[in-house]
Amino acid sequence: NPNRCVVAAQADLDEAGNGLIYLMAVTAEEDFDATAIDPTVVARKAANTIRHELMHDRQYANTAADMGITKREVKKKFEDWGLIPPAGAPREDYLSSHIEIDAYGHEFAEELAQKFGLDEAQRLVASADVKEMRRLAEQMKDEMSENFVEYYGEFGDASFTKKLQKKIRKYL
């Protein structure tokens, strides 16, 4: 996909507890046709990914403030509680984590609003069941994030996808 150079991202904290975002990007081959790129789409997709990761920093900050501890201590608690699954954990552990459901709820609400406009996105999500969202994910697999397609295509019947659907409605 020429419009998707940022293929993954991760939120983290430095030693002082400041937020970090790692963006994993791909480079083009020498014979790549640069005219195939739509800079507006590239920027929008990258910005959506960055905002998703910024939600995690907000989660750290809010939990730290609520508990009276540092963001680094919060990260450790999130790991201990299974909200940040260890490397090699099943994919469902990651997708079902409420911190991911929250961040993806924001991300997908934004993507849908960008694609359809806010009013149409609200109408669509308010009336759609999981089957309809699965169909939408399939139809829009080249336009929406791969994670949207994964949630609704592969895990549409999972309870965590139903929670995600509620988050998307809330954030729209």
Side-chain angles (χ1 to χ4, degrees):
N1 184 339
N3 290 319
R4 189 163 183 267
C5 60
V6 175
V7 295
Q10 179 181 346
D12 202 354
L13 299 170
D14 66 14
E15 292 300 320
N18 298 309
L20 298 172
I21 296 176
Y22 296 100
L23 299 176
M24 283 55 100
V26 294
T27 58
E29 295 182 6
E30 279 185 38
D31 63 345
F32 178 74
D33 179 9
T35 62
I37 297 173
D38 181 341
T40 304
V41 174
V42 171
R44 179 177 42 84
K45 287 179 178 283
N48 290 347
T49 299
I50 291 168
R51 280 189 290 278
H52 172 108
E53 299 306 329
L54 287 171
M55 287 306 306
H56 292 311
D57 191 65
R58 182 185 295 171
Q59 292 163 343
Y60 291 148
N62 290 345
T63 304
D66 290 347
M67 298 181 78
I69 59 177
T70 68
K71 289 186 343 183
R72 292 213 51 81
E73 291 169 312
V74 168
K75 183 179 180 196
K76 176 71 172 113
K77 287 190 178 296
F78 282 5
E79 291 167 348
D80 292 345
W81 297 336
L83 299 177
I84 301 173
R91 184 72 173 152
E92 294 92 312
D93 290 0
Y94 168 78
L95 295 173
S96 65
S97 167
H98 81 79
I99 63 173
E100 290 303 333
I101 290 170
D102 186 56
Y104 279 122
H106 280 280
E107 181 180 336
F108 299 159
E110 188 163 4
E111 283 185 328
L112 291 166
Q114 290 166 346
K115 174 66 180 159
F116 296 108
L118 183 57
D119 291 339
E120 179 62 18
Q122 286 174 324
R123 186 202 62 73
L124 178 79
V125 174
S127 63
D129 63 12
V130 172
K131 272 187 191 175
E132 292 168 302
M133 293 300 285
R134 182 179 288 136
R135 195 174 10 221
L136 177 67
E138 182 58 34
Q139 291 169 352
M140 296 182 57
K141 66 182 171 193
D142 294 331
E143 299 173 66
M144 296 293 287
S145 73
E146 290 149 359
N147 294 309
F148 182 82
V149 175
E150 181 179 28
Y151 268 106
Y152 286 102
E154 295 179 43
F155 300 101
D157 295 324
S159 62
F160 58 81
T161 302
K162 290 174 180 62
K163 291 176 186 172
L164 172 68
Q165 180 86 355
K166 289 178 185 175
K167 288 286 186 176
I168 295 170
R169 285 181 183 138
K170 175 183 175 184
Y171 295 135
L172 280 170

